[in-house]
Amino acid sequence: MHSEAVASRSADQRDSSRESRNGGSPQLDAVSLAIIQQLQEDGRRPYAAIGKAVGLSEAAVRQRVQKLLDQGVMQIVAVTDPLTVGFRRQAMVGINAEGDVENIADALTDMSEVEYVVMTAGSFDILAEIVCEDDDHLLDVINKRIRSLPGVRSTESFVYLKLKKQTYMWGTR
């Protein structure tokens, strides 16, 4: 047990030194990646089971998970199918902007209907994924709230007809 705690502390110190060399972005070791993979397979998997799979004690896994959460490396959430919880319309909205796109992106992140915001290079300055109750709700969000934001020049909506794949397993490959 003592050797695991020392190994965990040493690994944490190595992680911290790698983090400072990489401009603040955490560098994950193989054990942290394995923990993330275990949680991606089952977000409710007990720490003891994860510990057995990755070769750490339950306490060491708990500490690692908390550190990953604190650093913003991962979140543990329930992912739903919007259709099953009352949201009948999803769309990706491409936004062309003038001026500071960060101000527009910040305003979008404050909207409860907006689930995903990314500033891009290419045909659009910003892409935003929107989840709404129905078409009227979507129209209201796009027409009255997004298009009225200062700096929004134009929008193009891509309404989802069917969701074929939604996965978050890319975190460890």
Side-chain angles (χ1 to χ4, degrees):
M1 176 81 149
H2 175 70
S3 63
E4 283 181 6
V6 170
S8 179
R9 260 197 312 275
S10 296
D12 290 344
Q13 289 167 347
R14 283 193 305 273
D15 288 348
S16 294
S17 66
R18 276 187 246 160
E19 193 173 310
S20 62
R21 284 193 310 262
N22 196 30
S25 179
Q27 291 294 305
L28 304 178
D29 64 8
V31 175
S32 291
L33 291 172
I35 291 169
I36 292 169
Q37 184 176 11
Q38 290 286 311
L39 289 168
Q40 284 181 321
E41 290 171 8
D42 180 358
R44 298 181 341 151
R45 184 166 289 155
Y47 291 150
I50 295 170
K52 282 183 183 176
V54 303
L56 291 178
S57 69
E58 179 179 349
V61 170
R62 183 177 292 109
Q63 288 175 343
R64 290 271 190 131
V65 168
Q66 191 57 55
K67 183 177 178 182
L68 292 167
L69 293 168
D70 292 345
Q71 291 175 328
V73 170
M74 69 176 192
Q75 300 174 19
I76 301 173
V77 298
V79 178
T80 62
D81 175 354
L83 291 174
T84 64
V85 292
F87 297 100
R88 302 280 177 238
R89 182 57 67 212
Q90 286 181 271
M92 184 66 68
V93 178
I95 300 166
N96 288 307
E98 54 193 21
D100 189 354
V101 297
E102 296 239 14
N103 291 336
I104 297 169
D106 289 343
L108 291 167
T109 62
D110 290 339
M111 295 180 190
S112 62
E113 296 88 353
V114 177
E115 297 296 324
Y116 173 85
V117 176
V118 62
M119 294 177 281
T120 65
S123 299
F124 299 104
D125 298 305
I126 299 172
L127 291 173
E129 183 177 39
I130 301 173
V131 178
C132 294
E133 294 163 11
D134 54 32
D135 288 337
D136 289 335
H137 186 197
L138 178 63
L139 180 61
D140 182 67
V141 170
I142 293 170
N143 200 37
K144 294 186 177 145
R145 295 174 54 204
I146 294 176
R147 289 183 179 155
S148 68
L149 291 172
V152 170
R153 198 174 39 207
S154 65
T155 64
E156 185 172 346
S157 302
F158 302 90
V159 175
Y160 297 5
L161 298 176
K162 184 175 184 178
L163 181 62
K164 274 302 250 189
K165 180 178 182 180
Q166 181 177 9
T167 180
Y168 299 95
M169 298 299 289
W170 49 266
T172 60
R173 61 180 157 113

